[in-house]
């Protein structure tokens, strides 16, 4: 005889002050409750219970606890659409075939036989599970999967246990699908499954996607997994491997993000990966993907660092800066910086420099960026860097980069702007680096000199007036100390000098007689050009200079003509001393235009 108990508002369960109630009955098989004020229901010692139907017409958060219901097959919790059910199941065994229909806020379940605990908690209101179904794969037949085709949109299916059948079923039209402890299955076939999680599947080798729809895949402790097949137009958001895959893995389609964590795989292949996050994968030696990659902190084989596909490019920098402008993501920044330190070779170091400069403009820690810049330059120059030493002791002695020619000018400009940001933030190392920049630019790095001239003359006004005066003062001092005059000029500096001459004439054309700051800049710039350019170039700016301040120009020209070092330098420059002296003298005596 079937034992059924009914409770309602007219014949209710007794309620405590907190609107809770308890039912204990080892013989009852079906319980139907329709009670408005019931908020907490505890069912103890209900070993024969097969179905529980609970209807509460008023909105509230309601808790149901079931203990010892070894025969439980169905739970139907209904009522007001805003009811949120919190369910706790404490059962003797895994609930094979149990079906739960309810707008769940939380479900936790433990079964004593295997000492396991399963907890499901939706993160957002829209993702509340309306149905949770538990299946035992070791006992089910293929026909049992027909019920899975009709689940509502927000549902979760948990499949548990071994699987030994020769025919592998297809899981289709399921929002969330989770497998755990399926030791015997070697292939999963899915269609229109959005989220797939597989845990502890030691025999799983492949996953076949019949139709697009998979958004996220998680594999945990699946050591033999090696392949995912999918249609030609397949794309997905994310795949995560944790303690999974011990060999080569091939992923079909395009993936926005691939995350590898504590994995022993040796090779990864995919049609396209937008971002790859690698953490503690020491055996990963080879990649076959055609896309930019990002590394997080961790361990991986050094062979990866030499692969040309690992590159920070303009597109990545642009997309990353757009994200960081909206929100400073510390994890993303650290991943980029770790990758930038590996981009020290000539063909890719330029992008690393530009990335550091862009992060500086976004307000990232300039001291950290300057330290990384020093390490990057030393590695670029094939200098050994001890990463355990104090960062303040990692210093460079020149301004020289080994950069691919098509990136060299923009890279030096980005490096200059990074230095300028560090100097304006009062970094002592940046102040000390300024004379080294100028000396290197004047003596051995024409690209650096052209960059300085560009920054001084740029319409963008990268430098303030005081900064321009400081630079020109150091440049004049180093010019006199290193190369003396134009007579032993490095011809590779001519493009930069021509730019400064053009800038001087522009300033003269817009000069205001009562603007003392502008007059001071013109004088300091003229002093540098006088020491640096040949008479041919100097003759192009003299008319403008004589018009603005002849009383300053004439003594400077006469001093050049009577310089005691001029005869000695002219002899080594194979130039007539008399002709040079006469030219400067005539220029000094010429009338202003």
């Amino acid at each position: 005889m079937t034992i059924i108990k009914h409770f309602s508002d007219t014949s209710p369960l007794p309620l405590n002050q907190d609107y809770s109630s308890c039912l204990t009955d080892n013989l009852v098989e079906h319980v139907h409750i329709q009670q408005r004020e019931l908020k907490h229901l505890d069912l103890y010692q209900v070993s024969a219970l097969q179905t529980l139907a609970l209807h509460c017409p008023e909105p509230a958060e309601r808790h149901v606890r079931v203990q010892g219901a070894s025969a439980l097959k169905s739970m139907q919790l209904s009522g007001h659409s805003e009811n949120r059910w919190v369910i706790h199941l404490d059962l003797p065994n895994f609930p094979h075939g149990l079906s739960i229909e309810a707008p769940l806020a939380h479900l936790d379940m433990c079964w004593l036989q295997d000492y396991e605990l399963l907890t499901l908690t939706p993160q957002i209101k829209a993702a509340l599970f309306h149905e949770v179904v538990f299946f035992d794969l070791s006992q089910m037949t293929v026909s049992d999967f027909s019920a899975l085709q009709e689940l509502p949109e927000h549902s979760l299916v948990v499949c548990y246990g071994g699987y030994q059948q020769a025919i592998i079923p297809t899981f289709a039209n399921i929002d969330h699908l989770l497998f755990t402890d399926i030791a015997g299955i070697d292939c999963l076939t899915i269609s229109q499954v959005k989220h797939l999680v597989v845990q502890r599947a030691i025999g799983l080798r492949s996953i076949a996607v019949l139709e697009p729809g998979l958004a996220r895949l998680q594999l945990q402790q699946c050591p033999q997994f090696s392949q995912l097949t999918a249609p030609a137009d397949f794309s997905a958001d994310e795949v995560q491997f944790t303690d999974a895959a011990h060999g080569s893995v091939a992923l079909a389609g395009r993936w926005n993000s691939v995350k590898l964590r504590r994995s022993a795989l040796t090779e990864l292949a995919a049609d396209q990966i937008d971002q790859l996050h690698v953490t503690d994968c020491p055996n990963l030696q080879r990649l076959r993907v055609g896309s930019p990659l990002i590394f997080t902190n961790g361990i991986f084989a050094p062979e990866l660092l030499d692969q040309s596909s690992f590159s920070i490019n303009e597109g990545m920098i642009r997309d990353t800066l757009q994200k960081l402008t909206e929100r400073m993501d510390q994890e993303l920044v650290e991943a980029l910086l770790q990758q930038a330190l590996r981009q020290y070779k000539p063909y890719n170091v330029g992008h690393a420099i530009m990335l550091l400069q862009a992060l500086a403009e976004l307000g990232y820690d300039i001291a950290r960026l300057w330290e990384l810049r020093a390490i990057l330059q030393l590695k670029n120059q094939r200098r050994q860097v001890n990463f355990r030493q104090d960062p303040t002791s990692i210093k460079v002695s020149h301004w020289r980069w080994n950069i691919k020619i098509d990136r060299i000018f923009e890279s030096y400009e980005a490096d200059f702007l990074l230095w300028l940001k560090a100097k304006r933030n009062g970094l002592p190392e940046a102040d000390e680096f300024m004379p080294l920049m100028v000396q290197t630019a004047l003596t051995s790095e024409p690209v650096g000199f052209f960059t300085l001239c560009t920054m001084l003359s740029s319409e963008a006004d990268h430098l303030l007036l005081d900064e321009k005066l400081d630079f020109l003062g150091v440049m004049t001092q180093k010019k006199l100390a290193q190369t003396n005059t134009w007579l032993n000029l490095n011809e590779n500096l001519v493009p930069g000098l021509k730019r400064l001459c053009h800038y001087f004439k522009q300033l003269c054309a817009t000069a205001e007689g009562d603007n003392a700051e502008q007059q001071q800049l013109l004088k300091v710039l003229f002093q540098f050009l006088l020491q640096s350019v040949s008479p041919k170039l100097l003759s192009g700016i003299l008319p403008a200079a004589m018009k603005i301040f002849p009383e300053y120009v004439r003594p400077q020209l006469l001093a050049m003509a009577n310089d005691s070092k001029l005869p000695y330098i002219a002899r080594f420059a194979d130039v007539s001393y008399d002709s040079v002296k006469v030219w400067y003298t005539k220029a000094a005596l010429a009338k202003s235009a």
Side-chain angles (χ1 to χ4, degrees), residues 236-382:
D237 291 335
E238 181 179 284
V239 58
Q240 293 184 19
F241 293 93
T242 303
D243 294 324
H246 288 181
S248 175
V249 173
L251 300 175
R254 173 179 177 175
W255 298 84
N256 292 335
S257 174
V258 174
K259 297 182 178 181
L260 309 176
R261 186 165 180 250
R262 297 195 307 274
S263 179
L265 81 167
T266 58
E267 180 179 350
L268 176 65
D271 296 336
Q272 183 171 347
I273 298 175
D274 292 341
Q275 292 188 357
L276 173 66
H277 300 261
V278 180
T279 304
D280 297 339
C281 300
N283 298 331
L284 181 58
Q285 299 180 356
R286 187 180 180 190
L287 293 169
R288 289 185 286 125
V289 293
S291 55
L293 305 170
I294 292 180
F295 283 107
T296 53
N297 294 326
I299 304 171
F300 38 85
E303 287 84 352
L304 292 183
L305 305 182
D306 297 326
Q307 295 189 25
S308 60
S309 61
F310 285 72
S311 174
I312 294 177
N313 57 27
E314 290 96 333
M316 178 186 294
I317 294 174
R318 183 174 58 253
D319 295 342
T320 301
L321 295 184
Q322 182 177 356
K323 295 178 182 177
L324 296 179
T325 301
E326 300 170 357
R327 181 177 68 88
M328 183 61 74
D329 187 331
Q330 188 69 24
E331 181 180 354
L332 178 58
V333 172
E334 288 299 325
L336 286 171
L337 291 178
Q338 289 294 326
Q339 177 65 356
L341 282 181
R342 302 184 184 98
Q343 309 286 329
Y344 61 85
K345 295 188 176 180
Y347 64 83
N348 56 18
V349 70
H351 290 131
I353 297 171
M354 287 186 278
L355 177 65
L356 295 180
Q357 185 265 326
L359 291 175
E361 292 300 322
L362 287 175
Y364 192 74
D365 184 4
I366 190 63
R368 173 88 191 285
L369 293 176
W370 189 254
E371 170 197 332
L372 295 178
R373 181 219 169 272
I375 296 174
L376 190 66
Q377 184 182 353
L378 291 174
K379 294 177 68 176
N380 176 254
Q381 298 295 310
R382 295 292 192 257

Side-chain angles (χ1 to χ4, degrees), residues 3-15:
I3 299 178
I4 303 175
K5 287 191 174 182
H6 291 270
F7 300 93
S8 65
D9 287 329
T10 56
S11 178
L13 277 169
L15 297 181

Side-chain angles (χ1 to χ4, degrees), residues 512-566:
E512 300 175 1
D514 58 347
N515 191 328
E517 292 182 345
Q518 195 175 44
Q519 291 285 325
Q520 184 182 8
L521 176 60
L522 282 169
K523 290 178 181 180
V524 175
L525 181 55
F526 178 79
Q527 180 65 34
F528 174 73
L529 293 174
L530 180 65
Q531 300 290 337
S532 304
V533 301
S534 66
K536 181 179 180 180
L537 285 178
L538 192 60
S539 62
I541 67 171
L542 276 178
M546 295 290 280
K547 182 178 180 180
I548 297 298
F549 37 63
E551 72 288 347
Y552 177 78
V553 174
R554 288 193 176 100
Q556 298 294 329
L557 292 171
L558 290 174
M560 287 288 292
N562 297 299
D563 189 347
S564 60
K565 298 189 294 292
L566 191 58

